[in-house]
Amino acid sequence: GDIVLVAKPVTLTEGDRVTLTTDVPVATDGTSKPEKLLYAVSLPPVHGQIEHINYPSVPISSYRQLDVVAQKVSYVHDNSHGDGKESL
């Protein structure tokens, strides 16, 4: 099975938060159960973190497609490095 990932860029400034939806990252792997796909954050964002909405301020290293569909995953931009802007 090939895996296809489609992502649209989002530009944020310090303090901004964006909830990941199937409009931002959506993946398919050719099976009939895309909700079971697991995303692994192999390279964390430089200027912020990915969080589960039930655990704010706690970075996560993986989440499921089902979490994205339920809008339970967000990216928070904290301007920890650089010019204050980051594209996700």
Side-chain angles (χ1 to χ4, degrees):
D2 293 333
I3 295 176
V4 177
L5 177 66
V6 178
K8 295 178 183 176
V10 176
T11 301
L12 304 170
T13 56
E14 182 178 358
D16 285 349
R17 170 187 302 269
V18 64
T19 300
L20 302 185
T21 66
T22 55
D23 289 339
V24 179
V26 63
T28 60
D29 67 352
T31 69
S32 61
K33 300 200 186 270
E35 68 276 2
K36 297 209 179 225
L37 285 174
L38 178 68
Y39 292 88
V41 181
S42 58
L43 184 60
V46 174
H47 304 289
Q49 62 190 24
I50 299 174
E51 303 175 349
H52 192 281
I53 63 164
N54 292 343
Y55 305 100
S57 302
V58 178
I60 58 175
S61 60
S62 65
Y63 55 92
R64 296 197 176 277
Q65 180 79 7
L66 188 58
D67 294 325
V68 174
V69 171
Q71 298 183 359
K72 294 191 177 229
V73 179
S74 63
Y75 167 77
V76 180
H77 181 61
D78 67 5
N79 194 27
S80 54
H81 301 88
D83 64 3
K85 291 189 177 181
E86 179 167 36
S87 293
L88 176 63

